[in-house]
Amino acid sequence: MKNVKVFEDTAKLNQEAAEFIIATANKAVNVYGRFTIALCGGSTPKGLYELLASEPYRSAMPWEETFVFWGDERYVTAATDDYNGTLATKAMLGHVPIPEPNIYPVPTHLPLAEAADAYDKEIDSFFEGEAVFDLILLGVGEDGHTASLFPNSEALNEQDKIVVATTAPHKIAERITFTYPLINAADNVMFIVAGNSKADIMKEILNGEAEKYPAQLVQPEGNLYWYLDRAAASKL
Ligand code: 6PG
């Protein structure tokens, strides 16, 4: 099931996304006793992360029972601002009562292939062999990539591993990313897309040729949500 929601502006998008995350988290904790989420990187989610760390959202989240992973990571040291984990820590995780052991950063201190393999095994072990996230947050690049699944990359064809090392046509080329088997097993996947720069690709993705871009191959078992601001939806 695909839900496309367009919000007046980025602030409203972030509020609605925060409310959805909180509702999903509390429902998961009621049913499973925990909430598992994979965060996305890039710049779009910064406002959402900051909002979740502020009242009333902060107190509404079951942080004690929340377990955080990343859908992709740049292969840089964890101390730099290019590391997706840094954005989430500075904007949210460093300001909320989430137990440190509940946070699973990508181990980029290891050699690239080892880091991907270690994260793959860590997620597999955490979920006891059947990795199904309650929620995976994703962004979209102007080239239609999502997580670090870029057009024409080998990672798009991976059907066995749930995490792989890959390369990006960006200045930070070495990446670690969830693969489609992991993303598409999720109970909920939410794309968060904002700004005029995403209007063209969003028109292609939602109204254009099917399965042309990596983001279009996100077809989860569970629910798929597209949360857009008006600017990103302006050419739909
Ligand atoms: C990353 C992200 C990537 C991001 C998109 C959108 O590591 O950069 O995970 O997939 O979500 O590139 O990035 P912006 O939000 O900065 O436009």
Side-chain angles (χ1 to χ4, degrees):
M1 177 179 76
K2 179 162 71 177
N3 291 314
V4 179
K5 298 189 179 196
V6 179
F7 301 101
E8 189 54 35
D9 53 31
T10 311
K12 187 67 177 157
L13 163 59
N14 289 337
Q15 286 163 15
E16 294 287 333
E19 287 171 19
F20 175 84
I21 292 167
I22 289 164
T24 305
N26 285 300
K27 184 176 170 189
V29 169
N30 289 339
V31 174
Y32 306 113
R34 71 181 187 189
F35 171 53
T36 57
I37 183 171
L39 301 179
C40 63
S43 56
T44 300
K46 183 172 183 286
L48 168 61
Y49 296 160
E50 288 168 342
L51 200 59
L52 285 167
S54 69
E55 295 302 348
Y57 305 94
R58 183 178 187 277
S59 300
M61 267 293 288
W63 295 109
E64 287 284 327
E65 299 87 5
T66 294
F67 295 82
V68 174
F69 297 76
W70 277 265
D72 76 311
E73 191 53 272
R74 293 81 175 272
Y75 188 62
V76 294
T77 58
T80 67
D81 282 346
D82 284 326
Y83 186 73
N84 286 331
T86 303
L87 165 73
T89 301
K90 284 185 176 177
M92 178 170 67
L93 300 175
H95 311 284
V96 297
I98 185 169
E100 192 68 31
N102 289 24
I103 302 171
Y104 290 79
V106 180
T108 55
H109 59 283
L110 298 173
L112 179 60
E114 279 180 50
D117 193 48
Y119 209 48
D120 179 292
K121 287 184 167 57
E122 185 165 52
I123 292 172
D124 188 56
S125 163
F126 176 88
F127 285 100
E128 296 175 343
E130 193 173 340
V132 177
F133 276 89
D134 296 311
L135 177 59
I136 296 179
L137 299 183
L138 293 173
V140 175
E142 293 178 39
D143 60 356
H145 83 262
T146 189
S148 282
L149 296 167
F150 287 86
N152 310 310
S153 86
E154 264 310 295
L156 302 180
N157 305 316
E158 179 60 48
Q159 289 303 317
D160 298 317
K161 293 177 184 171
I162 54 175
V163 177
V164 294
T166 186
T167 54
H170 284 235
K171 69 179 173 65
I172 305 176
E174 293 180 314
R175 304 284 184 103
I176 290 161
T177 187
F178 281 13
T179 59
Y180 290 121
L182 180 53
I183 294 172
N184 286 336
D187 282 342
N188 296 283
V189 176
M190 172 185 268
F191 281 95
I192 299 170
V193 191
N196 289 312
S197 68
K198 303 294 173 72
D200 288 329
I201 193 63
M202 284 314 308
K203 179 183 176 187
E204 287 285 307
I205 287 171
L206 294 180
N207 296 346
E209 185 188 334
E211 300 196 351
K212 183 177 175 186
Y213 297 98
Q216 293 173 294
L217 295 171
V218 172
Q219 299 163 4
E221 298 286 316
N223 301 312
L224 175 59
Y225 299 94
W226 288 89
Y227 273 37
L228 313 178
D229 70 358
R230 188 168 297 285
S234 58
K235 295 186 177 176
L236 293 184

